[in-house]
PDB file of all heavy atoms in Angstrom:
ATOM      1  N   GLU A 536     155.788  -2.712 245.508  1.00  0.00           N
ATOM      2  CA  GLU A 536     154.716  -2.876 246.502  1.00  0.00           C
ATOM      3  C   GLU A 536     154.779  -4.197 247.141  1.00  0.00           C
ATOM      4  O   GLU A 536     154.388  -4.341 248.294  1.00  0.00           O
ATOM      5  CB  GLU A 536     153.384  -2.655 245.763  1.00  0.00           C
ATOM      6  CG  GLU A 536     153.145  -1.315 245.252  1.00  0.00           C
ATOM      7  CD  GLU A 536     151.757  -1.176 244.688  1.00  0.00           C
ATOM      8  OE1 GLU A 536     150.996  -2.158 244.684  1.00  0.00           O
ATOM      9  OE2 GLU A 536     151.424  -0.008 244.177  1.00  0.00           O
ATOM     10  N   GLU A 537     155.406  -5.206 246.473  1.00  0.00           N
ATOM     11  CA  GLU A 537     155.587  -6.494 246.995  1.00  0.00           C
ATOM     12  C   GLU A 537     157.062  -6.959 246.843  1.00  0.00           C
ATOM     13  O   GLU A 537     157.608  -6.623 245.834  1.00  0.00           O
ATOM     14  CB  GLU A 537     154.651  -7.567 246.351  1.00  0.00           C
ATOM     15  CG  GLU A 537     153.204  -7.335 246.566  1.00  0.00           C
ATOM     16  CD  GLU A 537     152.336  -8.310 245.972  1.00  0.00           C
ATOM     17  OE1 GLU A 537     152.946  -9.409 245.481  1.00  0.00           O
ATOM     18  OE2 GLU A 537     151.134  -8.192 245.868  1.00  0.00           O
ATOM     19  N   LEU A 538     157.588  -7.594 247.853  1.00  0.00           N
ATOM     20  CA  LEU A 538     158.940  -8.023 247.776  1.00  0.00           C
ATOM     21  C   LEU A 538     159.148  -9.222 246.835  1.00  0.00           C
ATOM     22  O   LEU A 538     158.321 -10.043 246.718  1.00  0.00           O
ATOM     23  CB  LEU A 538     159.505  -8.366 249.174  1.00  0.00           C
ATOM     24  CG  LEU A 538     159.515  -7.186 250.248  1.00  0.00           C
ATOM     25  CD1 LEU A 538     160.114  -7.668 251.517  1.00  0.00           C
ATOM     26  CD2 LEU A 538     160.355  -6.028 249.637  1.00  0.00           C
ATOM     27  N   SER A 539     160.313  -9.295 246.269  1.00  0.00           N
ATOM     28  CA  SER A 539     160.615 -10.278 245.258  1.00  0.00           C
ATOM     29  C   SER A 539     160.838 -11.666 245.867  1.00  0.00           C
ATOM     30  O   SER A 539     160.647 -12.723 245.208  1.00  0.00           O
ATOM     31  CB  SER A 539     161.785  -9.860 244.489  1.00  0.00           C
ATOM     32  OG  SER A 539     162.971  -9.820 245.336  1.00  0.00           O
ATOM     33  N   GLY A 540     161.398 -11.668 247.065  1.00  0.00           N
ATOM     34  CA  GLY A 540     161.719 -12.984 247.718  1.00  0.00           C
ATOM     35  C   GLY A 540     163.189 -13.344 247.485  1.00  0.00           C
ATOM     36  O   GLY A 540     163.648 -14.345 247.973  1.00  0.00           O
ATOM     37  N   PHE A 541     163.975 -12.434 246.886  1.00  0.00           N
ATOM     38  CA  PHE A 541     165.408 -12.573 246.789  1.00  0.00           C
ATOM     39  C   PHE A 541     166.030 -12.802 248.161  1.00  0.00           C
ATOM     40  O   PHE A 541     165.776 -11.911 249.020  1.00  0.00           O
ATOM     41  CB  PHE A 541     166.064 -11.477 245.943  1.00  0.00           C
ATOM     42  CG  PHE A 541     165.677 -11.419 244.574  1.00  0.00           C
ATOM     43  CD1 PHE A 541     165.476 -10.172 243.932  1.00  0.00           C
ATOM     44  CD2 PHE A 541     165.452 -12.535 243.787  1.00  0.00           C
ATOM     45  CE1 PHE A 541     165.074 -10.098 242.649  1.00  0.00           C
ATOM     46  CE2 PHE A 541     165.117 -12.433 242.449  1.00  0.00           C
ATOM     47  CZ  PHE A 541     164.950 -11.198 241.873  1.00  0.00           C
ATOM     48  N   GLU A 542     166.839 -13.777 248.370  1.00  0.00           N
ATOM     49  CA  GLU A 542     167.387 -14.056 249.713  1.00  0.00           C
ATOM     50  C   GLU A 542     168.767 -13.472 249.962  1.00  0.00           C
ATOM     51  O   GLU A 542     169.356 -13.634 251.042  1.00  0.00           O
ATOM     52  CB  GLU A 542     167.467 -15.563 249.876  1.00  0.00           C
ATOM     53  CG  GLU A 542     166.101 -16.263 249.800  1.00  0.00           C
ATOM     54  CD  GLU A 542     166.200 -17.699 249.894  1.00  0.00           C
ATOM     55  OE1 GLU A 542     167.399 -18.231 249.808  1.00  0.00           O
ATOM     56  OE2 GLU A 542     165.176 -18.425 249.969  1.00  0.00           O
ATOM     57  N   ASP A 543     169.320 -12.758 248.982  1.00  0.00           N
ATOM     58  CA  ASP A 543     170.733 -12.302 249.075  1.00  0.00           C
ATOM     59  C   ASP A 543     170.866 -10.761 249.010  1.00  0.00           C
ATOM     60  O   ASP A 543     171.854 -10.259 248.540  1.00  0.00           O
ATOM     61  CB  ASP A 543     171.614 -12.980 248.024  1.00  0.00           C
ATOM     62  CG  ASP A 543     171.093 -12.655 246.587  1.00  0.00           C
ATOM     63  OD1 ASP A 543     170.028 -12.159 246.466  1.00  0.00           O
ATOM     64  OD2 ASP A 543     171.873 -12.972 245.651  1.00  0.00           O
ATOM     65  N   LEU A 544     169.846 -10.057 249.433  1.00  0.00           N
ATOM     66  CA  LEU A 544     169.872  -8.581 249.333  1.00  0.00           C
ATOM     67  C   LEU A 544     170.237  -7.889 250.660  1.00  0.00           C
ATOM     68  O   LEU A 544     170.208  -6.650 250.794  1.00  0.00           O
ATOM     69  CB  LEU A 544     168.524  -8.088 248.866  1.00  0.00           C
ATOM     70  CG  LEU A 544     168.013  -8.589 247.561  1.00  0.00           C
ATOM     71  CD1 LEU A 544     166.760  -7.882 247.126  1.00  0.00           C
ATOM     72  CD2 LEU A 544     169.055  -8.433 246.467  1.00  0.00           C
ATOM     73  N   GLY A 545     170.516  -8.632 251.674  1.00  0.00           N
ATOM     74  CA  GLY A 545     170.812  -8.116 253.046  1.00  0.00           C
ATOM     75  C   GLY A 545     172.040  -7.228 253.177  1.00  0.00           C
ATOM     76  O   GLY A 545     172.037  -6.378 254.047  1.00  0.00           O
ATOM     77  N   ASP A 546     172.977  -7.444 252.259  1.00  0.00           N
ATOM     78  CA  ASP A 546     174.190  -6.622 252.431  1.00  0.00           C
ATOM     79  C   ASP A 546     174.479  -5.738 251.204  1.00  0.00           C
ATOM     80  O   ASP A 546     175.632  -5.330 250.965  1.00  0.00           O
ATOM     81  CB  ASP A 546     175.427  -7.603 252.537  1.00  0.00           C
ATOM     82  CG  ASP A 546     175.652  -8.439 251.315  1.00  0.00           C
ATOM     83  OD1 ASP A 546     174.670  -8.533 250.468  1.00  0.00           O
ATOM     84  OD2 ASP A 546     176.736  -9.028 251.172  1.00  0.00           O
ATOM     85  N   THR A 547     173.489  -5.264 250.631  1.00  0.00           N
ATOM     86  CA  THR A 547     173.620  -4.345 249.413  1.00  0.00           C
ATOM     87  C   THR A 547     172.823  -3.050 249.647  1.00  0.00           C
ATOM     88  O   THR A 547     171.672  -3.119 250.083  1.00  0.00           O
ATOM     89  CB  THR A 547     173.243  -5.068 248.079  1.00  0.00           C
ATOM     90  OG1 THR A 547     173.337  -4.014 247.040  1.00  0.00           O
ATOM     91  CG2 THR A 547     171.881  -5.549 248.146  1.00  0.00           C
ATOM     92  N   ILE A 548     173.443  -1.957 249.278  1.00  0.00           N
ATOM     93  CA  ILE A 548     172.737  -0.665 249.338  1.00  0.00           C
ATOM     94  C   ILE A 548     171.704  -0.520 248.212  1.00  0.00           C
ATOM     95  O   ILE A 548     170.976   0.500 248.177  1.00  0.00           O
ATOM     96  CB  ILE A 548     173.772   0.501 249.338  1.00  0.00           C
ATOM     97  CG1 ILE A 548     174.573   0.552 248.084  1.00  0.00           C
ATOM     98  CG2 ILE A 548     174.661   0.437 250.562  1.00  0.00           C
ATOM     99  CD1 ILE A 548     175.466   1.694 247.929  1.00  0.00           C
ATOM    100  N   HIS A 549     171.799  -1.421 247.316  1.00  0.00           N
ATOM    101  CA  HIS A 549     170.867  -1.292 246.068  1.00  0.00           C
ATOM    102  C   HIS A 549     169.608  -2.139 246.233  1.00  0.00           C
ATOM    103  O   HIS A 549     168.825  -2.295 245.315  1.00  0.00           O
ATOM    104  CB  HIS A 549     171.675  -1.819 244.849  1.00  0.00           C
ATOM    105  CG  HIS A 549     172.888  -1.030 244.598  1.00  0.00           C
ATOM    106  ND1 HIS A 549     172.956   0.210 244.066  1.00  0.00           N
ATOM    107  CD2 HIS A 549     174.195  -1.412 244.776  1.00  0.00           C
ATOM    108  CE1 HIS A 549     174.194   0.677 243.943  1.00  0.00           C
ATOM    109  NE2 HIS A 549     174.973  -0.351 244.437  1.00  0.00           N
ATOM    110  N   ALA A 550     169.279  -2.638 247.448  1.00  0.00           N
ATOM    111  CA  ALA A 550     168.150  -3.552 247.691  1.00  0.00           C
ATOM    112  C   ALA A 550     166.859  -2.973 247.205  1.00  0.00           C
ATOM    113  O   ALA A 550     166.116  -3.673 246.544  1.00  0.00           O
ATOM    114  CB  ALA A 550     168.132  -3.917 249.180  1.00  0.00           C
TER     115      ALA A 550
END
Side-chain angles (χ1 to χ4, degrees):
E536 295 182 1
E537 296 183 10
L538 296 182
S539 63
F541 294 140
E542 299 174 352
D543 58 349
L544 304 186
D546 64 343
T547 174
I548 62 174
H549 303 285

